[in-house]
Amino acid sequence: MRLRLVRDNTNFDFFARPKLWLGISGVMMIVALISFAIQGLNYGIDFQGGTTIRTESSQPVDVASYRAALEPLELGDISITEVFDPNFRDDQFVSQIRIQAQEGEEAASGDMIAAVADALSAVDSGLVLPFPAVDSVGPTVSGELIQTAAIAVVLAILAVLIYIWLRFEWQFAVGAVAALVHDVVLTIGVFSELQIRFDLAIIAALLTIVGYSLNDTVVVFDRVRENLRRYKKKDLKEVLNLSINETLSRTFMTSVTTLLALISLFVLGGDVIRGFVFAMIWGVIVGTYSSIFVASATLLALGVKRDWSKPTDEGGTQFGNTDA
């Protein structure tokens, strides 16, 4: 028995009110931008600067105990990761502790390092002191990192614009980029509104969302192009509805199976990857929405050139080669 999330031969009218969907998306983007302008993002250590401490111990690292021991010090954002390396000895357990930059300090102070050492020694009798490595990143380097990350996202979107433009037509390119900008802006808006920690892992998630959304949009646009060639007498709205209905099962199956894996990671993966996974979950949802109600609705609003070089039969099927 074949599992079906969407029945075959669906005939939903996705464009009964195309301006409504574009309006809703526009309002959500404005709200996201206002939230970003007022609250900003809760930047993590990657963007704020901070101190990285490498610890070694003869006992297994208990991340929860480490975190509980450091909480009374009120050092702000702290990230603790157990490090695994085949080069380590069997009796060597290593962790990496990242502490956000303290106000008014470019680098970690000796007093702070000493306080961290005392706190961890109380819960780990096998801790090696002094710490094997202590590195600091100042606000200047972090500011450059923010700029580089923003450039990476913008360049990815521009590359998509050029790719879609060359593969299809400029109207398709504008629709695809509108969907990508929609997804990125809403993701940033959610992180701003909920004040979830925003670090380099989230930038990686944004770029992954761009790729995921683009893949879904290209699948729909490929079917649109095929049907535009096949049914030259149909209105563009009818062709878009037909194309989305034909790819709807694939879209939902892909999204649902991806979400199953992501939700499992969100629940069981721990704090280290939770922000990244949350961004991916949100990105899959808005990416699926935007490929239908933003990219295709934008294409409908712009119209598309229909250049026919071959005759068709009465059913709309093109004589000869029907390759897309």
Side-chain angles (χ1 to χ4, degrees):
M1 181 177 179
R2 185 163 64 94
L3 175 64
R4 297 179 183 178
L5 295 179
V6 179
R7 63 182 177 84
D8 295 333
N9 301 318
T10 57
N11 190 28
F12 299 118
D13 186 359
F14 293 98
F15 300 104
R17 296 180 178 178
K19 293 182 180 179
L20 175 64
W21 296 116
L22 289 177
I24 291 174
S25 296
V27 169
M28 290 193 297
M29 290 176 67
I30 291 172
V31 171
L33 291 173
I34 291 174
S35 176
F36 176 72
I38 295 175
Q39 295 190 122
L41 293 169
N42 178 20
Y43 290 112
I45 297 169
D46 295 325
F47 297 124
Q48 283 187 335
T51 301
T52 300
I53 299 174
R54 180 172 175 265
T55 72
E56 291 183 7
S57 176
S58 58
Q59 297 181 0
V61 175
D62 188 338
V63 173
S65 296
Y66 275 27
R67 189 180 299 279
L70 295 177
E71 278 182 1
L73 300 180
E74 297 182 350
L75 297 175
D77 186 20
I78 298 176
S79 172
I80 304 174
T81 308
E82 188 172 1
V83 179
F84 299 95
D85 191 317
N87 296 321
F88 293 156
R89 303 188 308 269
D90 292 340
D91 62 345
Q92 185 181 27
F93 301 93
V94 179
S95 72
Q96 179 176 275
I97 302 173
R98 306 176 72 187
I99 304 171
Q100 77 173 48
Q102 303 302 297
E103 188 175 354
E105 297 181 3
E106 282 284 337
S109 66
D111 291 341
M112 186 193 79
I113 300 301
V116 170
D118 291 341
L120 295 182
S121 297
V123 296
D124 187 349
S125 58
L127 191 68
V128 175
L129 295 174
F131 294 123
V134 178
D135 300 308
S136 295
V137 176
T140 302
V141 175
S142 298
E144 294 175 354
L145 197 57
I146 294 175
Q147 183 179 3
T148 304
I151 291 173
V153 175
V154 171
L155 288 179
I157 293 176
L158 288 177
V160 168
L161 174 63
I162 296 171
Y163 166 72
I164 299 294
W165 197 330
L166 293 176
R167 179 165 179 175
F168 298 99
E169 294 179 14
W170 69 267
Q171 296 95 331
F172 289 87
V174 172
V177 170
L180 296 184
V181 171
H182 168 273
D183 299 345
V184 171
V185 170
L186 289 192
T187 301
I188 292 175
V190 165
F191 273 78
S192 173
E193 187 63 32
L194 300 180
Q195 287 295 290
I196 302 172
R197 187 173 66 239
F198 193 89
D199 51 26
L200 277 179
I202 308 306
I203 296 297
L206 286 175
L207 293 174
T208 306
I209 290 168
V210 167
Y212 183 92
S213 179
L214 173 64
N215 178 68
D216 202 22
T217 301
V218 167
V219 168
V220 174
F221 279 179
D222 262 331
R223 188 57 60 87
V224 170
R225 183 172 60 176
E226 290 176 9
N227 287 333
L228 281 172
R229 291 179 173 179
R230 185 172 295 135
Y231 305 109
K232 73 173 187 177
K233 295 181 181 180
K234 286 184 180 288
D235 291 337
L236 179 58
K237 176 182 173 181
E238 293 182 68
V239 174
L240 287 171
N241 264 322
L242 174 65
S243 302
I244 294 173
N245 277 287
E246 287 178 348
T247 58
L248 195 60
S249 178
R250 176 264 174 202
T251 297
F252 269 84
M253 285 297 292
T254 303
S255 298
V256 169
T257 52
T258 304
L259 285 173
L260 288 175
L262 289 173
I263 291 172
S264 299
L265 281 174
F266 185 80
V267 174
L268 304 173
D271 292 335
V272 176
I273 63 170
R274 189 156 289 158
F276 172 84
V277 176
F278 175 80
M280 286 298 302
I281 291 173
W282 175 256
V284 168
I285 294 172
V286 297
T288 302
Y289 166 86
S290 67
S291 66
I292 298 173
F293 295 107
V294 177
S296 298
T298 301
L299 183 60
L300 178 62
L302 292 175
V304 62
K305 179 181 178 182
R306 304 174 73 160
D307 183 16
W308 313 108
S309 58
K310 293 186 178 182
T312 59
D313 61 15
E314 292 182 357
T317 304
Q318 192 175 46
F319 290 120
N321 183 13
T322 59
D323 292 340

